[in-house]
Amino acid sequence: MDNGIWIDKTDIPLVHMSSIISGFNPLWNSDKDENEAFNEAVEFSGAILRNTLNQRFSVLKSKEQVVRAFKKRKNPQLLVLDRYCPYSEALREADEKREVLFVIYPRKDSYAMQSVRGENSQDKKKLPKEWAGLRDEELASVTGVSDAVFCHTGRFIAVAQSLEGIMKLAELAVNYKEDEESKPKGIFELIKNMFKKTK
């Protein structure tokens, strides 16, 4: 990545692939065999390459599952997956109208819902601010969902113990109307409001 910073001129050297591989070279005061060091570097590089390819294949294989779930939607704003898989890329391609706001998927012993990010890499819709950071009984009391588990303080993910519970949370989140006063405003709107207060 070219960010204008010289890697070798920082106080703490930044690590990149080239420096990692060159780090396998025997040190000047080492008796290590160069061929042995080279073989270690090859093995290490091979593992990274395999992982990279496997991750990419995983994304490609997930597209069929995401598209199938997309076509089965009962609520256009909710995508319900039978199992978790990388969904972002496939969803961007399938959701031409940009309708989906939340993705729901099972976890090991619970169910989660997560906000979908838009073109600007920001959440298209946040979870209700009243949920932020709440867990268990507190979250259940606020939402009315008895098996609610937690909502992240960033308001992008929430968990419930059952599919029924997470679907209730999702419906509440879809219908949630955030107070206009609490929404972030553009710089011009902020300046205009400042002038109003000084009058």
Side-chain angles (χ1 to χ4, degrees), residues 13-128:
L14 300 177
V15 178
H16 53 94
M17 194 62 187
S18 178
S19 65
I20 293 173
I21 298 303
S22 65
F24 282 90
N25 288 322
L27 301 174
W28 68 272
N29 57 350
S30 171
D31 295 327
K32 190 172 186 177
D33 181 71
E34 289 187 358
N35 289 328
E36 180 184 353
F38 175 79
N39 290 333
E40 289 178 353
V42 169
E43 182 178 355
F44 178 81
S45 303
I48 292 177
L49 179 60
R50 286 192 297 273
N51 288 339
T52 301
L53 291 174
N54 287 337
Q55 289 175 2
R56 186 57 193 161
F57 288 144
S58 173
V59 171
L60 294 175
K61 289 179 181 178
S62 72
K63 287 188 175 182
E64 182 179 348
Q65 181 174 332
V66 174
V67 171
R68 183 167 59 248
F70 183 82
K71 292 179 178 179
K72 289 169 56 179
R73 287 175 302 154
K74 295 180 179 179
N75 183 329
Q77 296 170 308
L78 299 176
L79 179 71
V80 183
L81 299 175
D82 294 331
R83 59 182 296 190
Y84 177 81
C85 66
Y87 59 80
S88 298
E89 183 176 317
L91 181 58
R92 279 196 301 270
E93 294 178 5
D95 191 11
E96 296 180 354
K97 296 181 180 179
R98 302 295 184 260
E99 295 176 313
V100 179
L101 298 177
F102 300 104
V103 175
I104 295 166
Y105 53 88
R107 308 199 322 168
K108 185 176 181 180
D109 55 359
S110 58
Y111 287 82
M113 62 175 293
Q114 191 162 346
S115 299
V116 173
R117 293 194 168 185
E119 302 297 334
N120 59 357
S121 297
Q122 300 295 317
D123 296 328
K124 292 167 67 174
K125 185 167 188 178
K126 291 283 190 181
L127 296 172

